[in-house]
């Protein structure tokens, strides 16, 4: 009696030439789809790099704790005055440049608000060359497919020109207000001088007449002085 052996052939393994050709066609379609997805990813990355390398704002990205730098665009070197490589080696240098008067507020705000998307601070930085710049820095949480924050993305703007412009406008407004007050006082002084000149002139004339009358009628002299 001959026992029938069980069929151990792999169902995915083509058994005929037609099966092999169909399998090859399927793999070619999968490969083409993969190439298309890869090309799309490369195009998106190229667009992002072109954008990040030519904008004036600093785009940065860290892990969820903010301790490990994932990416920073080249504009960082122009605004902060130090190489991006230094920041990759020590991400804390980004906030280490914050002005000493602003640093406690900024560090506290970053620790408490960055992971919830409520971090939006304006502060000064001190560049290595001694130049001071004004920065507006914002951070946003990035979530994975499970809804967990796994990165922090941020945008830092150099608003020094805007701050200096506002200061000039404020100083100009102050000068205008001061000039207006001086103009009011000058106008008031002119009016007062005009209002006082006539009675003072009359009083001066009466006194002059009284002086002339001292040698004549005493009553006329007295009346003249009373009028004065």
């Amino acid at each position: 009696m001959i026992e029938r052996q069980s069929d151990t052939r792999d169902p995915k393994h083509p058994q005929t030439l037609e099966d092999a050709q169909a399998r090859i066609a399927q793999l070619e379609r999968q490969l083409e789809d993969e190439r298309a997805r890869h090309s799309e990813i490369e195009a998106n990355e190229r667009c992002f790099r072109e954008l990040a390398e030519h904008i004036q704002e600093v785009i940065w990205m860290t892990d969820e704790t903010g301790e490990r730098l994932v990416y920073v665009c080249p504009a960082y070197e122009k605004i902060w005055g130090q190489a991006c490589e230094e920041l990759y080696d020590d991400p804390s240098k980004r906030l280490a440049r914050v002005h000493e008067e602003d640093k406690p507020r900024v560090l506290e705000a970053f620790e408490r608000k960055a992971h919830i998307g409520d971090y939006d601070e304006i502060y000064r930085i001190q560049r290595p060359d001694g130049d001071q710049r004004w920065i507006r820095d914002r951070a946003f949480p990035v979530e994975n497919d499970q809804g967990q924050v796994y990165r922090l993305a941020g945008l830092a703007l150099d608003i020094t020109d805007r701050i200096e412009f506002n200061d000039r406008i404020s100083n100009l407004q102050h000068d205008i207000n001061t000039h207006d007050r001086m103009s009011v006082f000058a106008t008031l002084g002119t009016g007062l001088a005009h209002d006082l000149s006539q009675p003072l002139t009359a009083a001066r004339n009466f006194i002059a007449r009284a002086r002339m009358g001292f040698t004549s009628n005493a009553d006329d002299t007295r009346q003249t002085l009373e009028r004065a």
Side-chain angles (χ1 to χ4, degrees):
M1 183 177 181
I2 301 176
E3 295 183 358
R4 179 179 295 178
Q5 296 180 350
S6 61
D7 190 356
T8 60
R9 293 177 299 179
D10 186 353
K12 296 182 180 180
H13 186 74
Q15 303 300 313
T16 65
L17 179 60
E18 289 77 8
D19 292 341
Q21 291 174 339
R23 180 59 176 165
I24 291 174
Q26 180 184 15
L27 292 174
E28 288 178 344
R29 288 192 298 270
Q30 292 177 352
L31 181 60
E32 188 64 28
D33 292 342
E34 189 64 27
R35 287 173 177 171
R37 285 194 295 270
H38 184 70
S39 297
E40 183 178 358
I41 292 173
E42 286 186 339
N44 292 337
E45 290 180 349
R46 184 167 56 252
C47 290
F48 174 78
R49 286 195 302 270
E50 292 174 353
L51 174 65
E53 290 173 1
H54 291 88
I55 64 173
Q56 301 301 315
E57 294 79 10
V58 177
I59 299 175
W60 55 267
M61 185 172 292
T62 68
D63 62 3
E64 71 279 6
T65 65
E67 298 179 354
R68 184 178 65 84
L69 183 67
V70 177
Y71 174 79
V72 63
C73 74
Y76 173 81
E77 296 187 357
K78 180 178 179 181
I79 297 176
W80 259 259
Q82 64 184 32
C84 293
E85 287 75 13
E86 296 182 20
L87 193 61
Y88 282 108
D89 295 336
D90 185 4
S92 64
K93 286 186 176 181
R94 185 178 67 88
L95 295 180
R97 291 291 177 184
V98 177
H99 194 282
E100 291 300 325
E101 295 179 0
D102 301 334
K103 187 177 295 184
R105 167 178 57 85
V106 173
L107 293 177
E108 180 184 2
F110 185 82
E111 292 176 357
R112 291 192 299 107
K113 301 178 180 180
H115 66 284
I116 60 175
D118 198 26
Y119 174 77
D120 188 349
E121 295 292 323
I122 294 178
Y123 54 82
R124 294 162 292 176
I125 63 170
Q126 201 74 31
R127 290 161 45 101
D129 59 6
D131 188 21
Q132 179 176 283
R133 311 296 293 176
W134 282 91
I135 304 296
R136 182 186 179 186
D137 195 18
R138 289 173 288 175
F140 314 92
V142 180
E143 298 180 350
N144 56 21
D145 295 338
Q146 289 73 40
Q148 299 172 334
V149 176
Y150 78 110
R151 283 181 182 174
L152 297 176
L155 186 66
L157 311 179
D158 184 349
I159 59 172
T160 305
D161 292 342
R162 187 189 312 169
I163 294 292
E164 292 178 349
F165 176 78
N166 291 339
D167 287 344
R168 288 196 296 270
I169 293 296
S170 178
N171 292 335
L172 180 60
Q173 186 64 51
H174 179 269
D175 293 341
I176 291 174
N177 293 338
T178 301
H179 181 268
D180 289 344
R181 289 194 295 270
M182 293 177 64
S183 298
V184 169
F185 291 142
T187 303
L188 180 61
T190 301
L192 288 174
H194 179 269
D195 293 338
L196 292 175
S197 63
Q198 293 181 351
L200 288 175
T201 300
R204 185 167 55 248
N205 292 335
F206 286 132
I207 293 173
R209 288 176 57 186
R211 286 176 177 174
M212 294 174 62
F214 278 135
T215 59
S216 57
N217 191 320
D219 291 336
D220 290 343
T221 301
R222 184 174 61 253
Q223 292 177 1
T224 303
L225 290 175
E226 288 176 354
R227 296 181 66 183

